[in-house]
Coordinates of all heavy atoms in Angstrom, one line a residue:
P30 N 24.3 -23.0 13.1 CA 23.0 -23.8 12.9 C 23.2 -25.2 13.4 O 24.3 -25.7 13.4 CB 22.7 -23.7 11.5 CG 23.7 -22.8 10.8 CD 24.7 -22.5 11.8
G31 N 22.1 -25.9 13.6 CA 22.2 -27.3 14.0 C 22.2 -28.3 12.8 O 21.8 -29.4 13.0
F32 N 22.5 -27.8 11.6 CA 22.5 -28.7 10.5 C 23.7 -28.4 9.7 O 24.4 -27.4 9.8 CB 21.2 -28.5 9.6 CG 21.1 -27.2 9.0 CD1 21.6 -26.9 7.7 CD2 20.5 -26.2 9.7 CE1 21.5 -25.6 7.2 CE2 20.4 -24.9 9.1 CZ 20.9 -24.6 7.9
E33 N 24.1 -29.4 8.8 CA 25.3 -29.2 8.0 C 24.9 -29.4 6.5 O 24.0 -30.3 6.3 CB 26.4 -30.1 8.4 CG 27.0 -29.8 9.7 CD 28.2 -30.7 10.0 OE1 28.9 -31.1 9.1 OE2 28.4 -30.9 11.2
T34 N 25.5 -28.7 5.6 CA 25.3 -28.9 4.2 C 26.4 -29.8 3.7 O 27.5 -29.9 4.2 CB 25.2 -27.6 3.4 OG1 26.5 -27.0 3.6 CG2 24.2 -26.7 4.0
K35 N 26.1 -30.4 2.5 CA 27.1 -31.2 1.8 C 27.7 -30.4 0.7 O 28.1 -31.0 -0.3 CB 26.5 -32.5 1.4 CG 26.1 -33.4 2.5 CD 25.5 -34.7 2.0 CE 25.2 -35.5 3.3 NZ 24.0 -36.3 3.2
G36 N 27.8 -29.1 0.8 CA 28.3 -28.3 -0.3 C 27.3 -27.3 -0.7 O 26.1 -27.4 -0.5
E37 N 27.8 -26.2 -1.4 CA 26.9 -25.2 -1.9 C 27.1 -25.2 -3.4 O 28.2 -25.4 -3.9 CB 27.3 -23.8 -1.3 CG 27.1 -23.8 0.1 CD 27.6 -22.5 0.7 OE1 27.8 -21.5 -0.1 OE2 27.7 -22.4 1.9
Y38 N 26.0 -25.0 -4.1 CA 26.1 -25.1 -5.6 C 25.4 -23.9 -6.2 O 24.4 -23.4 -5.7 CB 25.5 -26.4 -6.1 CG 26.1 -27.6 -5.5 CD1 25.7 -28.2 -4.3 CD2 27.3 -28.1 -6.1 CE1 26.3 -29.3 -3.8 CE2 27.9 -29.2 -5.6 CZ 27.4 -29.8 -4.4 OH 28.0 -30.9 -3.9
M39 N 25.9 -23.4 -7.3 CA 25.2 -22.3 -8.1 C 24.3 -23.0 -9.0 O 24.6 -23.9 -9.7 CB 26.2 -21.5 -8.8 CG 25.7 -20.5 -9.8 SD 25.2 -18.9 -9.1 CE 26.8 -18.3 -8.7
V40 N 23.0 -22.6 -9.0 CA 22.0 -23.1 -9.9 C 22.0 -22.3 -11.2 O 21.7 -21.1 -11.2 CB 20.6 -23.1 -9.3 CG1 19.6 -23.6 -10.2 CG2 20.6 -23.8 -8.0
Q41 N 22.5 -22.9 -12.3 CA 22.6 -22.1 -13.6 C 21.2 -21.8 -14.0 O 20.3 -22.6 -14.1 CB 23.3 -23.0 -14.6 CG 23.5 -22.2 -15.9 CD 24.5 -22.9 -16.8 OE1 25.0 -24.0 -16.5 NE2 24.7 -22.4 -18.0
G42 N 21.0 -20.5 -14.3 CA 19.7 -20.0 -14.7 C 18.8 -19.6 -13.6 O 17.7 -19.1 -13.7
G43 N 19.2 -19.8 -12.3 CA 18.5 -19.3 -11.2 C 17.6 -20.3 -10.6 O 17.2 -21.4 -11.2
V44 N 17.1 -20.0 -9.4 CA 16.2 -20.9 -8.6 C 14.9 -21.1 -9.3 O 14.4 -22.2 -9.4 CB 16.0 -20.4 -7.2 CG1 15.0 -21.2 -6.4 CG2 17.3 -20.4 -6.4
E45 N 14.4 -20.0 -9.8 CA 13.1 -20.1 -10.5 C 13.1 -21.0 -11.7 O 12.2 -21.8 -11.9 CB 12.6 -18.7 -11.0 CG 11.2 -18.7 -11.4 CD 10.6 -17.3 -11.3 OE1 11.1 -16.4 -10.6 OE2 9.6 -17.1 -12.0
R46 N 14.2 -21.0 -12.5 CA 14.3 -21.9 -13.6 C 14.4 -23.3 -13.2 O 13.8 -24.2 -13.7 CB 15.5 -21.5 -14.5 CG 15.7 -22.4 -15.7 CD 16.8 -21.9 -16.5 NE 17.0 -22.9 -17.6 CZ 18.1 -22.9 -18.3 NH1 19.1 -22.0 -18.2 NH2 18.3 -23.8 -19.3
Y47 N 15.2 -23.5 -12.1 CA 15.3 -24.9 -11.5 C 14.0 -25.4 -11.1 O 13.6 -26.6 -11.4 CB 16.3 -24.9 -10.3 CG 16.6 -26.3 -9.8 CD1 17.7 -27.0 -10.3 CD2 15.8 -26.8 -8.8 CE1 17.9 -28.3 -9.8 CE2 16.1 -28.1 -8.3 CZ 17.2 -28.8 -8.8 OH 17.4 -30.1 -8.4
M48 N 13.2 -24.6 -10.4 CA 11.8 -25.1 -10.0 C 10.9 -25.4 -11.1 O 10.1 -26.2 -11.0 CB 11.3 -24.1 -9.0 CG 12.1 -23.9 -7.8 SD 11.2 -24.0 -6.3 CE 12.4 -23.6 -5.1
R49 N 11.0 -24.6 -12.2 CA 10.2 -24.9 -13.4 C 10.6 -26.2 -14.1 O 9.8 -26.9 -14.6 CB 10.3 -23.7 -14.4 CG 9.4 -22.5 -14.1 CD 9.3 -21.6 -15.3 NE 10.5 -21.3 -16.0 CZ 11.3 -20.2 -15.7 NH1 10.9 -19.3 -14.9 NH2 12.4 -20.0 -16.4
T50 N 11.9 -26.4 -14.1 CA 12.5 -27.6 -14.7 C 12.2 -28.9 -13.9 O 11.9 -29.9 -14.4 CB 14.0 -27.5 -14.9 OG1 14.3 -26.3 -15.6 CG2 14.6 -28.7 -15.6
F51 N 12.2 -28.7 -12.6 CA 11.9 -29.9 -11.7 C 10.8 -29.5 -10.7 O 11.0 -29.2 -9.6 CB 13.2 -30.2 -10.8 CG 14.4 -30.5 -11.6 CD1 15.4 -29.6 -11.9 CD2 14.5 -31.8 -12.2 CE1 16.5 -29.9 -12.7 CE2 15.6 -32.1 -12.9 CZ 16.6 -31.2 -13.2
P52 N 9.5 -29.6 -11.2 CA 8.4 -29.2 -10.4 C 8.1 -30.0 -9.2 O 7.5 -29.6 -8.2 CB 7.2 -29.2 -11.4 CG 7.6 -30.1 -12.5 CD 9.1 -30.0 -12.6
E53 N 8.7 -31.3 -9.2 CA 8.6 -32.1 -8.0 C 9.7 -31.8 -7.0 O 9.8 -32.4 -5.9 CB 8.7 -33.6 -8.4 CG 7.5 -34.1 -9.2 CD 7.7 -33.8 -10.7 OE1 8.8 -33.5 -11.1 OE2 6.7 -33.8 -11.4
G54 N 10.7 -31.0 -7.4 CA 11.7 -30.5 -6.5 C 13.1 -30.9 -6.8 O 14.1 -30.2 -6.4
G55 N 13.3 -32.0 -7.6 CA 14.7 -32.4 -7.9 C 15.5 -32.6 -6.6 O 15.0 -33.3 -5.7
Y56 N 16.6 -32.0 -6.6 CA 17.4 -32.0 -5.3 C 17.1 -30.9 -4.4 O 17.7 -30.7 -3.3 CB 18.9 -32.0 -5.7 CG 19.4 -33.2 -6.4 CD1 19.6 -33.3 -7.7 CD2 19.6 -34.4 -5.6 CE1 20.1 -34.4 -8.3 CE2 20.0 -35.6 -6.2 CZ 20.2 -35.6 -7.6 OH 20.7 -36.7 -8.2
W57 N 16.1 -30.1 -4.7 CA 15.8 -28.9 -3.9 C 15.2 -29.4 -2.6 O 14.4 -30.3 -2.5 CB 14.7 -28.0 -4.6 CG 14.5 -26.8 -3.8 CD1 13.6 -26.5 -2.9 CD2 15.3 -25.6 -3.9 NE1 13.7 -25.2 -2.4 CE2 14.8 -24.7 -3.0 CE3 16.5 -25.2 -4.6 CZ2 15.3 -23.4 -2.8 CZ3 17.0 -24.0 -4.5 CH2 16.4 -23.1 -3.6
K58 N 15.6 -28.7 -1.5 CA 15.1 -29.1 -0.2 C 14.6 -27.8 0.5 O 15.2 -26.8 0.6 CB 16.3 -29.6 0.6 CG 15.9 -30.2 2.0 CD 17.2 -30.9 2.6 CE 16.8 -31.5 3.9 NZ 17.9 -32.2 4.5
G59 N 13.3 -27.9 1.0 CA 12.8 -26.8 1.7 C 12.2 -25.7 0.9 O 11.8 -25.9 -0.3
K60 N 12.2 -24.5 1.4 CA 11.6 -23.3 0.8 C 12.7 -22.3 0.5 O 13.7 -22.2 1.1 CB 10.6 -22.7 1.7 CG 9.5 -23.6 2.1 CD 8.6 -22.9 3.2 CE 7.5 -23.9 3.6 NZ 6.6 -23.3 4.6
N61 N 12.4 -21.4 -0.5 CA 13.3 -20.3 -0.9 C 12.6 -19.0 -0.5 O 11.6 -18.7 -1.0 CB 13.6 -20.4 -2.4 CG 14.5 -19.3 -2.8 OD1 15.5 -19.0 -2.1 ND2 14.3 -18.7 -3.9
F62 N 13.2 -18.3 0.5 CA 12.6 -17.0 1.0 C 12.8 -16.0 -0.1 O 13.9 -15.9 -0.7 CB 13.3 -16.6 2.3 CG 12.8 -15.2 2.7 CD1 11.6 -15.1 3.2 CD2 13.6 -14.1 2.6 CE1 11.1 -13.8 3.6 CE2 13.2 -12.9 3.0 CZ 11.9 -12.7 3.5
L63 N 11.8 -15.2 -0.4 CA 11.8 -14.1 -1.3 C 11.5 -12.8 -0.7 O 10.7 -12.7 0.2 CB 10.8 -14.4 -2.5 CG 11.0 -15.7 -3.2 CD1 9.7 -15.9 -4.1 CD2 12.2 -15.7 -4.0
F64 N 12.2 -11.8 -1.1 CA 12.0 -10.4 -0.5 C 10.9 -9.6 -1.3 O 11.0 -8.4 -1.5 CB 13.3 -9.7 -0.5 CG 14.3 -10.2 0.4 CD1 15.2 -11.2 0.0 CD2 14.3 -9.8 1.8 CE1 16.1 -11.8 0.9 CE2 15.2 -10.4 2.7 CZ 16.1 -11.3 2.2
D65 N 9.8 -10.3 -1.7 CA 8.8 -9.6 -2.4 C 7.4 -10.2 -1.9 O 7.4 -11.0 -1.0 CB 8.9 -9.7 -4.0 CG 8.8 -11.1 -4.5 OD1 8.3 -12.0 -3.8 OD2 9.3 -11.3 -5.6
K66 N 6.3 -9.8 -2.5 CA 5.0 -10.2 -2.0 C 4.8 -11.7 -2.1 O 3.9 -12.2 -1.4 CB 3.9 -9.4 -2.8 CG 3.8 -9.7 -4.2 CD 2.7 -8.9 -4.9 CE 2.7 -9.1 -6.4 NZ 1.7 -8.3 -7.1
R67 N 5.5 -12.4 -2.9 CA 5.4 -13.9 -2.9 C 5.8 -14.5 -1.6 O 5.4 -15.6 -1.3 CB 6.2 -14.5 -4.1 CG 5.7 -14.0 -5.5 CD 6.6 -14.5 -6.6 NE 7.9 -13.9 -6.5 CZ 8.9 -14.2 -7.2 NH1 8.9 -15.2 -8.0 NH2 10.1 -13.6 -7.0
Q68 N 6.8 -13.9 -0.9 CA 7.3 -14.3 0.3 C 8.2 -15.6 0.3 O 9.2 -15.7 1.0 CB 6.3 -14.4 1.4 CG 5.6 -13.1 1.7 CD 4.5 -13.2 2.7 OE1 4.0 -14.3 3.0 NE2 4.3 -12.1 3.4
E69 N 7.8 -16.6 -0.4 CA 8.5 -17.8 -0.5 C 8.3 -18.5 -1.8 O 7.3 -18.3 -2.5 CB 8.2 -18.8 0.6 CG 6.8 -19.3 0.7 CD 6.4 -20.0 2.0 OE1 7.0 -19.7 3.0 OE2 5.5 -20.8 1.9
Q70 N 9.2 -19.4 -2.2 CA 9.1 -20.2 -3.4 C 9.3 -21.6 -3.1 O 10.3 -22.0 -2.4 CB 10.1 -19.6 -4.4 CG 10.1 -20.1 -5.8 CD 11.1 -19.4 -6.6 OE1 12.2 -19.0 -6.2 NE2 10.8 -19.4 -7.9
V71 N 8.4 -22.5 -3.5 CA 8.6 -23.9 -3.3 C 8.3 -24.7 -4.6 O 7.6 -24.1 -5.5 CB 7.6 -24.4 -2.2 CG1 7.8 -23.8 -0.9 CG2 6.1 -24.2 -2.6
P72 N 8.8 -25.9 -4.8 CA 8.6 -26.6 -6.0 C 7.1 -26.9 -6.1 O 6.4 -27.3 -5.1 CB 9.3 -28.0 -5.7 CG 10.4 -27.6 -4.8 CD 9.8 -26.6 -3.9
E73 N 6.5 -26.6 -7.3 CA 5.1 -26.6 -7.5 C 4.4 -27.9 -7.2 O 3.3 -27.9 -6.6 CB 4.9 -26.2 -9.0 CG 3.5 -26.0 -9.4 CD 3.4 -25.6 -10.9 OE1 4.1 -24.7 -11.3 OE2 2.6 -26.3 -11.6
K74 N 5.0 -29.0 -7.5 CA 4.4 -30.3 -7.3 C 4.9 -31.1 -6.1 O 4.6 -32.3 -6.0 CB 4.5 -31.1 -8.6 CG 3.7 -30.5 -9.7 CD 3.8 -31.4 -11.0 CE 3.0 -30.8 -12.1 NZ 3.1 -31.6 -13.3
K75 N 5.7 -30.5 -5.3 CA 6.2 -31.2 -4.1 C 5.2 -31.1 -3.0 O 4.7 -30.0 -2.6 CB 7.5 -30.5 -3.6 CG 8.2 -31.4 -2.6 CD 9.6 -30.8 -2.4 CE 10.6 -31.9 -2.0 NZ 11.9 -31.4 -1.9
P76 N 4.7 -32.2 -2.4 CA 3.7 -32.2 -1.4 C 4.1 -31.4 -0.1 O 5.3 -31.4 0.3 CB 3.6 -33.7 -1.0 CG 4.2 -34.5 -2.1 CD 5.2 -33.6 -2.7
M77 N 3.2 -30.7 0.4 CA 3.5 -29.8 1.6 C 4.0 -30.6 2.8 O 4.9 -30.2 3.5 CB 2.2 -29.1 2.0 CG 2.4 -28.0 3.0 SD 3.7 -26.8 2.6 CE 2.9 -25.9 1.3
E78 N 3.5 -31.9 2.9 CA 4.0 -32.7 4.0 C 5.5 -33.0 3.9 O 6.2 -33.0 4.9 CB 3.3 -34.1 4.0 CG 1.8 -34.0 4.1 CD 1.1 -33.8 2.7 OE1 1.4 -34.6 1.7 OE2 0.3 -32.9 2.6
E79 N 5.9 -33.2 2.6 CA 7.4 -33.4 2.4 C 8.2 -32.1 2.7 O 9.2 -32.2 3.3 CB 7.6 -33.8 0.9 CG 8.9 -34.5 0.7 CD 9.0 -35.1 -0.7 OE1 8.0 -35.6 -1.2 OE2 10.1 -35.0 -1.3
L80 N 7.6 -31.0 2.3 CA 8.3 -29.7 2.6 C 8.5 -29.5 4.1 O 9.5 -29.1 4.6 CB 7.6 -28.5 2.0 CG 7.7 -28.4 0.5 CD1 6.7 -27.4 -0.1 CD2 9.1 -27.9 0.1
E81 N 7.4 -29.8 4.8 CA 7.4 -29.6 6.3 C 8.5 -30.5 6.9 O 9.1 -30.1 7.9 CB 6.1 -29.9 6.9 CG 5.0 -28.9 6.5 CD 5.3 -27.5 6.8 OE1 5.8 -27.2 7.9 OE2 5.0 -26.6 6.0
K82 N 8.7 -31.7 6.4 CA 9.7 -32.6 7.0 C 11.1 -32.1 6.7 O 12.1 -32.4 7.4 CB 9.6 -34.0 6.3 CG 8.4 -34.8 6.8 CD 8.4 -36.1 6.1 CE 7.1 -36.8 6.2 NZ 7.0 -38.0 5.4
E83 N 11.3 -31.2 5.7 CA 12.6 -30.7 5.3 C 13.0 -29.4 6.0 O 14.1 -28.9 5.8 CB 12.6 -30.5 3.8 CG 12.4 -31.7 3.0 CD 12.3 -31.4 1.5 OE1 12.2 -30.2 1.1 OE2 12.4 -32.4 0.7
V84 N 12.2 -28.9 6.9 CA 12.5 -27.7 7.6 C 13.7 -27.8 8.4 O 13.8 -28.7 9.3 CB 11.3 -27.3 8.5 CG1 11.7 -26.1 9.4 CG2 10.1 -26.9 7.6
E85 N 14.7 -27.0 8.2 CA 15.9 -27.0 9.0 C 16.1 -25.6 9.7 O 17.0 -25.5 10.5 CB 17.1 -27.2 8.1 CG 17.1 -28.7 7.5 CD 18.3 -29.0 6.7 OE1 19.1 -28.0 6.3 OE2 18.6 -30.2 6.4
S86 N 15.2 -24.7 9.5 CA 15.3 -23.4 10.1 C 14.4 -23.5 11.4 O 13.6 -24.4 11.6 CB 14.8 -22.3 9.2 OG 13.5 -22.6 8.8
S87 N 14.7 -22.5 12.3 CA 13.9 -22.5 13.6 C 13.7 -21.1 14.0 O 14.4 -20.2 13.6 CB 14.7 -23.3 14.6 OG 16.0 -22.7 14.9
C88 N 12.7 -21.0 14.9 CA 12.4 -19.7 15.5 C 13.6 -19.2 16.3 O 14.2 -20.0 17.1 CB 11.2 -19.9 16.5 SG 10.8 -18.4 17.5
C89 N 14.0 -18.0 16.1 CA 15.2 -17.5 16.8 C 15.0 -17.3 18.3 O 15.9 -17.0 19.1 CB 15.7 -16.2 16.1 SG 14.7 -14.8 16.4
V90 N 13.7 -17.4 18.8 CA 13.4 -17.2 20.2 C 13.3 -18.5 20.9 O 14.1 -18.8 21.9 CB 12.1 -16.3 20.4 CG1 11.8 -16.2 21.9 CG2 12.2 -15.0 19.7
C91 N 12.4 -19.4 20.5 CA 12.1 -20.6 21.2 C 12.9 -21.8 20.6 O 12.9 -22.9 21.2 CB 10.6 -20.9 21.3 SG 9.9 -21.3 19.7
K92 N 13.4 -21.7 19.4 CA 14.2 -22.7 18.7 C 13.4 -23.9 18.1 O 13.9 -24.8 17.6 CB 15.3 -23.3 19.6 CG 16.2 -22.3 20.2 CD 16.9 -21.5 19.2 CE 17.9 -20.5 19.9 NZ 17.9 -19.2 19.2
R93 N 12.0 -23.7 18.1 CA 11.2 -24.8 17.5 C 11.3 -24.7 16.0 O 11.5 -23.6 15.5 CB 9.8 -24.8 18.0 CG 8.9 -23.9 17.2 CD 7.4 -24.1 17.6 NE 6.6 -23.3 16.7 CZ 5.4 -23.2 16.8 NH1 4.7 -23.7 17.7 NH2 4.7 -22.4 15.9
P94 N 11.3 -25.8 15.3 CA 11.3 -25.8 13.8 C 10.3 -24.8 13.3 O 9.1 -24.9 13.6 CB 11.1 -27.2 13.4 CG 11.4 -28.1 14.6 CD 11.1 -27.2 15.8
W95 N 10.7 -23.9 12.4 CA 9.8 -23.0 11.8 C 10.4 -22.5 10.5 O 11.6 -22.2 10.5 CB 9.5 -21.8 12.8 CG 8.3 -21.0 12.3 CD1 8.3 -19.7 11.8 CD2 6.9 -21.4 12.4 NE1 7.0 -19.4 11.5 CE2 6.2 -20.4 11.9 CE3 6.3 -22.5 12.8 CZ2 4.8 -20.4 11.8 CZ3 4.9 -22.6 12.7 CH2 4.2 -21.6 12.2
A96 N 9.6 -22.4 9.5 CA 10.1 -22.0 8.2 C 9.4 -20.8 7.5 O 9.6 -20.7 6.3 CB 10.1 -23.2 7.3
E97 N 8.7 -20.0 8.3 CA 8.0 -18.9 7.6 C 8.5 -17.6 8.2 O 8.6 -17.4 9.4 CB 6.5 -19.0 7.9 CG 5.9 -20.1 7.2 CD 4.4 -20.2 7.5 OE1 3.8 -19.2 8.0 OE2 3.8 -21.2 7.1
Y98 N 8.9 -16.7 7.3 CA 9.3 -15.3 7.7 C 8.1 -14.4 7.5 O 7.7 -14.2 6.3 CB 10.5 -14.9 7.0 CG 10.8 -13.4 7.3 CD1 11.4 -13.1 8.5 CD2 10.6 -12.4 6.4 CE1 11.7 -11.7 8.8 CE2 10.8 -11.1 6.6 CZ 11.4 -10.8 7.9 OH 11.7 -9.5 8.2
R99 N 7.4 -14.0 8.5 CA 6.3 -13.1 8.4 C 6.4 -12.0 9.4 O 6.9 -12.2 10.5 CB 5.0 -13.9 8.6 CG 4.7 -15.1 7.7 CD 4.4 -14.6 6.3 NE 4.1 -15.8 5.5 CZ 4.9 -16.5 4.8 NH1 6.2 -16.2 4.8 NH2 4.5 -17.5 4.0
G100 N 5.9 -10.9 9.1 CA 5.7 -9.8 10.1 C 6.9 -8.9 10.2 O 6.9 -8.0 11.0
G101 N 7.9 -9.0 9.4 CA 9.0 -8.1 9.4 C 9.9 -8.1 10.6 O 10.6 -7.1 10.9
A102 N 10.0 -9.2 11.3 CA 10.9 -9.3 12.5 C 12.4 -9.2 12.0 O 12.8 -9.8 11.0 CB 10.7 -10.6 13.2
K103 N 13.1 -8.4 12.8 CA 14.5 -8.2 12.5 C 15.4 -8.3 13.7 O 14.9 -8.2 14.8 CB 14.8 -6.8 11.9 CG 14.0 -6.5 10.6 CD 14.6 -5.4 9.8 CE 13.8 -5.0 8.6 NZ 13.3 -6.0 7.8
C104 N 16.7 -8.7 13.5 CA 17.6 -8.8 14.6 C 17.6 -7.5 15.4 O 17.6 -6.4 14.9 CB 19.0 -9.1 14.1 SG 20.3 -9.2 15.3
C105 N 17.6 -7.7 16.8 CA 17.5 -6.5 17.6 C 18.8 -5.8 17.8 O 18.9 -4.6 18.3 CB 17.0 -6.9 19.0 SG 18.0 -8.0 19.9
E106 N 19.9 -6.3 17.3 CA 21.2 -5.6 17.4 C 21.2 -4.5 16.3 O 21.0 -4.7 15.2 CB 22.4 -6.6 17.0 CG 22.6 -7.7 18.1 CD 23.0 -7.2 19.4 OE1 23.8 -6.2 19.4 OE2 22.6 -7.8 20.4
E107 N 21.5 -3.3 16.8 CA 21.4 -2.1 15.9 C 22.3 -2.2 14.7 O 21.9 -1.8 13.6 CB 21.8 -0.9 16.7 CG 21.4 0.4 16.1 CD 19.9 0.6 15.8 OE1 19.1 0.2 16.7 OE2 19.5 1.1 14.7
E108 N 23.5 -2.8 14.8 CA 24.4 -3.0 13.7 C 23.9 -4.1 12.7 O 24.4 -4.1 11.6 CB 25.8 -3.3 14.1 CG 26.4 -2.3 15.1 CD 26.0 -2.4 16.5 OE1 25.7 -3.6 17.0 OE2 25.8 -1.4 17.2
C109 N 23.1 -4.9 13.1 CA 22.7 -6.1 12.3 C 21.4 -5.9 11.6 O 21.4 -5.7 10.4 CB 22.5 -7.3 13.3 SG 22.1 -8.8 12.4
R110 N 20.3 -5.9 12.2 CA 18.9 -5.7 11.7 C 18.6 -6.6 10.5 O 17.7 -6.2 9.7 CB 18.8 -4.2 11.3 CG 19.1 -3.2 12.4 CD 18.2 -3.3 13.6 NE 16.8 -3.0 13.3 CZ 15.8 -3.3 14.0 NH1 16.0 -4.1 15.1 NH2 14.6 -3.0 13.7
V111 N 19.2 -7.8 10.4 CA 18.8 -8.7 9.3 C 17.4 -9.3 9.6 O 17.1 -9.5 10.8 CB 19.8 -9.8 9.0 CG1 21.1 -9.2 8.6 CG2 20.0 -10.7 10.2
P112 N 16.6 -9.8 8.6 CA 15.4 -10.5 8.9 C 15.7 -11.8 9.7 O 16.6 -12.5 9.5 CB 14.8 -10.8 7.5 CG 15.5 -9.8 6.6 CD 16.9 -9.6 7.2
V113 N 14.8 -12.0 10.7 CA 14.9 -13.3 11.5 C 13.6 -14.0 11.5 O 12.5 -13.4 11.3 CB 15.4 -13.0 12.9 CG1 16.8 -12.5 13.0 CG2 14.4 -12.0 13.6
I114 N 13.6 -15.3 11.7 CA 12.4 -16.1 11.7 C 11.9 -16.2 13.2 O 12.7 -16.6 14.1 CB 12.7 -17.5 11.2 CG1 13.1 -17.4 9.7 CG2 11.5 -18.5 11.4 CD1 13.6 -18.7 9.1
V115 N 10.7 -15.8 13.4 CA 10.0 -15.9 14.7 C 8.7 -16.5 14.5 O 7.9 -16.1 13.7 CB 9.9 -14.5 15.3 CG1 9.2 -14.6 16.7 CG2 11.2 -13.7 15.4
C116 N 8.4 -17.6 15.3 CA 7.1 -18.3 15.2 C 6.0 -17.4 15.7 O 6.2 -16.5 16.5 CB 7.2 -19.6 15.9 SG 7.2 -19.5 17.7
P117 N 4.7 -17.7 15.4 CA 3.6 -16.9 15.8 C 3.5 -16.8 17.4 O 3.1 -15.8 17.9 CB 2.4 -17.5 15.2 CG 2.9 -18.4 14.1 CD 4.3 -18.7 14.5
D118 N 3.8 -17.9 18.1 CA 3.7 -17.9 19.5 C 4.6 -16.9 20.1 O 4.3 -16.2 21.1 CB 4.0 -19.3 20.1 CG 2.9 -20.3 19.7 OD1 1.8 -19.9 19.4 OD2 3.2 -21.5 19.8
C119 N 5.9 -16.8 19.6 CA 6.8 -15.9 20.2 C 6.6 -14.5 19.8 O 6.9 -13.6 20.5 CB 8.2 -16.3 19.8 SG 8.8 -17.9 20.6
V120 N 6.0 -14.3 18.6 CA 5.7 -12.9 18.2 C 4.6 -12.3 19.1 O 4.7 -11.1 19.5 CB 5.1 -12.9 16.7 CG1 4.4 -11.6 16.3 CG2 6.2 -13.2 15.7
T121 N 3.6 -13.1 19.5 CA 2.6 -12.6 20.3 C 2.8 -12.7 21.8 O 2.1 -12.2 22.6 CB 1.2 -13.4 20.1 OG1 1.4 -14.8 20.3 CG2 0.8 -13.1 18.6
S122 N 3.9 -13.4 22.2 CA 4.2 -13.5 23.7 C 4.9 -12.2 24.2 O 5.5 -11.5 23.5 CB 5.1 -14.7 23.9 OG 6.4 -14.5 23.4
D123 N 4.7 -12.0 25.5 CA 5.3 -10.9 26.2 C 6.7 -11.2 26.5 O 7.1 -12.2 27.2 CB 4.5 -10.7 27.5 CG 4.9 -9.4 28.3 OD1 5.9 -8.8 27.8 OD2 4.3 -9.1 29.2
P124 N 7.7 -10.4 26.0 CA 9.1 -10.6 26.2 C 9.6 -10.5 27.7 O 10.7 -10.9 28.0 CB 9.8 -9.6 25.3 CG 8.8 -8.5 25.2 CD 7.4 -9.1 25.3
A125 N 8.7 -10.0 28.5 CA 9.2 -9.8 29.9 C 9.2 -11.1 30.7 O 8.8 -12.1 30.5 CB 8.2 -8.8 30.6

């Protein structure tokens, strides 16, 4: 990726508890992808403009900043098949 972290930390009690404790976000940056109908989790009181500035993920096709996983796109490598982020323009574009 084109970004670096300053370490990884375990959140005691889980991400959901952290977001309830710090509704403005605390040290949380960006969105938390969820594998259920909620799709993502963000700090309740953090402004959307601030969340958009924190986007570090990108479309795996065109590389533009994008932070939404929608539509069930998966890696095309048969052995991989992990979910990938694809922006709406690339989802609807002709791959040819």
Side-chain angles (χ1 to χ4, degrees):
F32 64 92
E33 292 187 30
T34 62
K35 294 182 176 142
E37 297 175 13
Y38 302 92
M39 172 86 64
V40 180
Q41 187 168 356
V44 172
E45 193 158 338
R46 180 175 174 195
Y47 185 89
M48 297 230 187
R49 280 195 314 263
T50 304
F51 301 99
E53 294 84 17
Y56 289 105
W57 188 265
K58 189 174 184 181
K60 302 175 182 181
N61 181 39
F62 175 73
L63 301 169
F64 292 90
D65 62 22
K66 65 183 177 183
R67 296 175 293 171
Q68 298 181 334
E69 63 191 27
Q70 188 175 28
V71 297
E73 188 178 308
K74 294 183 180 177
K75 192 171 210 176
M77 191 54 71
E78 307 83 52
E79 197 172 325
L80 284 168
E81 294 301 321
K82 288 180 195 172
E83 297 174 349
V84 172
E85 293 183 347
S86 55
S87 61
C88 171
C89 70
V90 178
C91 70
K92 307 300 182 218
R93 89 171 183 184
W95 195 252
E97 293 181 12
Y98 174 73
R99 303 289 186 270
K103 298 200 184 319
C104 176
C105 62
E106 295 293 325
E107 195 60 41
E108 301 82 35
C109 182
R110 308 298 293 159
V111 299
V113 293
I114 295 173
V115 181
C116 72
D118 292 341
C119 291
V120 166
T121 58
S122 68
D123 185 352

